[in-house]
Amino acid sequence: MTTLELRSGDPSDSLVTPSAALGIFRRPLATTGWKSWVFTVDHKKLGIMYGAVAMFFFLLGGCEALLIRLQLAAPDNTVLSAGLYNEMFTMHATTMVFLFVMPMAAAFANYFLPLQVGARDVAFPRMNALGFWLFLFGGIFLNSSWVLGGAPDGGWFMYSPNSSALFSPSHGVDFWVLGLQITGIASLIGAINLIVTVINMRAPGMTLMRLPVFAWMQLVVQFLLLFAIPVITVALFLLSFQRNFGAAFFDVEQGADPLLWQHLFWIFGHPEVYILILPSFGIISEVIPTFARKPLFGYKFVVFSGAAIGFVGWGVWAHHMFASGLGPVSVAVFSVSTMLIAIPTGVKICNWTLTLWGGKLWFTTAMNFAIGTIVLFTIGGLSGVTHAAAPADTQQTDTYHIVAHFHYVIVGGAVMGLFAGFYYWWPKMFGKTLSERLGTWNFWLMFIGVNLTFGPMHILGMQGQPRRMVVWPDKLTGDGFFNLGFWNRVASVGSFTIATGVLLFVINVFRTARKTEKAPLDPWDARTLEWLTTSPPKEHNFDSIPTVHALDEFFHRKYEEVDAEGGSRLVKVKTAEEVQAELNAHPDEHMHLPSPSYWPILLAFSLPIITYGVIFNLMLSVFGAVILLLAAFGWVLEPSVAGHDEYDPPADSGDSTKELASVG
Amino acid sequence: MAVAAFAAAVLFAGCAQDAPQDTFQPKGPNARTIDDVQRPLFYVAGIVGLIVFAVIGYSIIRFKDRGQDMPEQTHGKTWLEVTLTVIPAVILAGVAIPTVAAVFDLDDKSNECVINVTGQQWWWEYDYSGTCGGVEITQPIVTSGELVIPADTPVLLRITSRDVIHSYWIPALNGKRDAVPGRLQTLRMEADEPGIYTGQCTEFCGLSHARMRQAAVALSTADFQTWVTNQLAAYVAPEAGTLAATGEGTFVNQCSRCHQVNGLVAADGTPVLAEPDLYVVAGAAPNLTNLMTRTAIAGWTFDLLTDACREQLWNASPEEFGSLYLQGVWMNSGPDATKPVCFAEATLRDWLRDPAAMKPNYASPDQVASTGGLTRGMPNLNLTEDQIDQLIAFLLERK
């Protein structure tokens, strides 16, 4: 469905559109079939596409992880060669960070931010589409390195000078640099888009302090992206120019200091950690109150601690460099600032726990994942404190103790939180509920698997097994309880346990898709605005933009305090259906929705052509640049919406959700 | 599970024979400074974790939906929020103070010995000069793999790199310090007692990062003096007509371009000087003058000692360690032995036959095209079995 214009009776009331747009500059009109996806600018369709592609990369990165764990299951193992192993852990990390967790969080942000703030779309819909296609093409470009001469092999941190052409002669690092440039543009424009959406497009009455916590956390994340992505962009350009055009930014022989790269990378890289985790903090801050049937404890504290994390997160990057030789003053300062960030993080954990306290807990799969997130993230947070102390970190850094720490944070925290989001929002997105029975198995396999995989890594690290080593020798394993061989095998078994859990999720998705049973309108007795519309939501989200009176607006429309013996009681006075009917009784006039566009996908497509050209032949880059320029012109010249006469008149029946078909 | 592992890791540390790189068993004052910060941190983290899990666990059981009324829609209690913000802040302040103190303690550079440590793909070089723990080092000693230091003596390492970033780590003695090209960074090492303390390069440094290891060997002052004297002893040419004498020629032809053996002279009487900068990217190759005093080769990855002898050495008491170590591969062999019983000959033989098969590198002709012929790692010299016999005979005398 495309431009929707709902009019109430007055036929002369129409949009102003260019009447004689050239053929190719018409906006596409398809409402069904592949064209309706490829040219869409609808935030919900883009959200689903973000999610589907991110899920694909999750499975890919997961397979890479399984290969790594197979290799490490036995001493001096030969599943992977040293070179392939280095490529594998580089791509595992890069894929999981840039092609799974970030875009999956973007999927949720895209789909639910406009709904939660009561908007009809994001502020810049075509840019939103451009962001998705850049992410997809960037991810494909990066992974094409596997078949075009070798994947990047310098680790996801790509320390200089090991990443220079001298020490990493394959094109892998070039693919990494340029691929991340492309996905970086996607993140950056997505950030601007969502910031403007939240700041400018909130429904009446939706003050910032009535914003759902998910929207708040996403807002913080978008600001982090806005400032962090430019830093990595600069670093990537420096490295790119060094590798491809003879610059010498990190060349020691010419007087450069390789620590420059480390600073640039971690000034981006540490905020990046919060970019990964905060969306999931937001998700479980929605899920836990819903299933505890009470508001989030200390909403303001959760919001401000999230913002505090967003600020302090900029002042801790050098804790990744405690062994680099920064000198004791820098090390002491960054050590203390790192401990500081544990305070707002601790506040969040306390508040989630206190939200459970005194609640009426309903243990759905979404709730299980959310509680699992708190538990596992707490372990990751506490082990984080053990290496905030710089002297201890000089023992722990680059060992499996660190691997254990950040996997508890990212898998236990971010990924489990995303799964809570899947189960919670699936009925909203697709109108069908994921199987709770499969979901329970999915949850327990992942929860146990995470502990089985990453729990032993604490032992491995403290027993002195460093990271990024293709083999561990039998002679350094020790005996007894801490035998490294035993715990490495346990971790490998654990990784397959996680994989089984994820497989069940995939099966669940396919089985649910074939199911005909529709989800109830409000399956979880939810609290926020996205539940104040159909499932899946209509293209224009709300027939009538709700006016917001309170935090948890939807909940307060359903429930009221009624007097009862021994004080007042909270009673459900209206069903979701009734609340919705009430709202839809007076649909808005003039709903302006953006029309689809041919240009975002074409513009996005030009970038990998340019980057392939940088690697293989600059003439190809010129060709790509021409496409880019044409696409930019097309973008600017196309009419702002499809012509009014290109559509059938909207149906005047009471069903305002009827889709409008295009005229030929 | 992980908390249990945490707790167990702390409680059981020291019981069984732990892995040699166990970070909870400091064997010197610097590592002990770290341990004094690290161990309480694990206890604090463990206790906080248990409290949080207890509250969550209790809530899950106590507040499960059993058909009770809808809970009060409370938005929080400010006093409770403030308390729960202040408590972690106080705990962290308690952690921060000893942390900062330890950071500055560990930066103390006072020492009785300075050793230059240089990393390159994929091995460490050590370079001694001056006085070390009271022992005069009259000429520079250049060695690799094993850092030999006097026990109970503060030693300052000056660490740098010739190519990419590496990181020097001997967990029993201190934390890590990166070896950064273009920078000279210090790390203090001190071992309480004689013994061998293993380590590993911990900054990812390319293809064979996993096979870049090291050890620190602490010796009593007397043993250290013996070690220094031996390292500085004049070159003794193999007896004419022996296999080793043939091996000397083979070494000069095949190996001495890169590998220095101090005192070696060519047939025409001129000193044989290695020029690794012409052949290797990093411009260095291990000095082999006293190869057989070391217990492992090729980035301290492949043992020159048989497994049994290595175990014997690693498990030796501090009193007997020095005398065993100083015998090198000739350990347990007796004074008149012609063949060392502890020598893992197959290892050295395999290495000479095809180094890249044991330790992946960039040294084959197609791999060095992009570096103008310079290798990273030892190329396959296509030695015949006879040449390998000769070289082993020659190298066995480099003790």
Side-chain angles (χ1 to χ4, degrees), chain A residues 476-516:
Chain A
L476 293 176
T477 54
D479 306 317
F481 184 73
F482 295 119
N483 176 276
L484 293 186
F486 173 71
W487 290 111
N488 267 303
R489 273 183 286 278
V490 171
S492 295
V493 170
S495 67
F496 281 87
T497 314
I498 300 177
T500 313
V502 173
L503 190 67
L504 285 186
F505 174 74
V506 175
I507 291 171
N508 202 349
V509 167
F510 281 103
R511 281 185 42 164
T512 305
R514 286 183 24 211
K515 206 160 72 170
T516 49

Side-chain angles (χ1 to χ4, degrees), chain A residues 368-411:
Chain A
N368 289 344
F369 269 109
I371 295 174
T373 303
I374 308 179
V375 170
L376 298 177
F377 179 79
T378 302
I379 296 171
L382 289 170
S383 68
V385 174
T386 67
H387 35 261
D393 182 68
T394 61
Q395 287 287 21
Q396 298 166 7
T397 187
D398 281 318
T399 70
Y400 265 89
H401 187 69
I402 303 291
V403 180
H405 158 71
F406 71 76
H407 278 94
Y408 264 94
V409 171
I410 295 180
V411 185

Side-chain angles (χ1 to χ4, degrees), chain A residues 301-320:
Chain A
F301 279 81
V302 174
V303 167
F304 285 120
S305 63
I309 290 172
F311 280 106
V312 185
W314 292 96
V316 299
W317 79 86
H319 70 215
H320 297 268

Side-chain angles (χ1 to χ4, degrees), chain A residues 324 351 360 395 397 527, chain B residues 68 73 81 176 183 185:
Chain A
S324 295
N351 280 301
K360 178 173 151 80
Q395 287 287 21
T397 187
R527 311 178 74 86
Chain B
Q68 67 263 45
Q73 299 295 298
E81 295 282 353
K176 304 172 184 74
R183 283 179 169 235
Q185 319 208 101

Side-chain angles (χ1 to χ4, degrees), chain B residues 259-274:
Chain B
H259 292 290
Q260 181 69 40
V261 167
N262 300 347
L264 185 60
V265 287
D268 61 1
T270 54
V272 177
L273 294 177

Side-chain angles (χ1 to χ4, degrees), chain A residues 404-434:
Chain A
H405 158 71
F406 71 76
H407 278 94
Y408 264 94
V409 171
I410 295 180
V411 185
V415 178
M416 296 286 276
L418 292 172
F419 272 76
F422 295 150
Y423 281 91
Y424 178 62
W425 276 319
W426 207 268
K428 175 49 58 186
M429 295 171 78
F430 299 103
K432 295 173 189 176
T433 312
L434 286 170

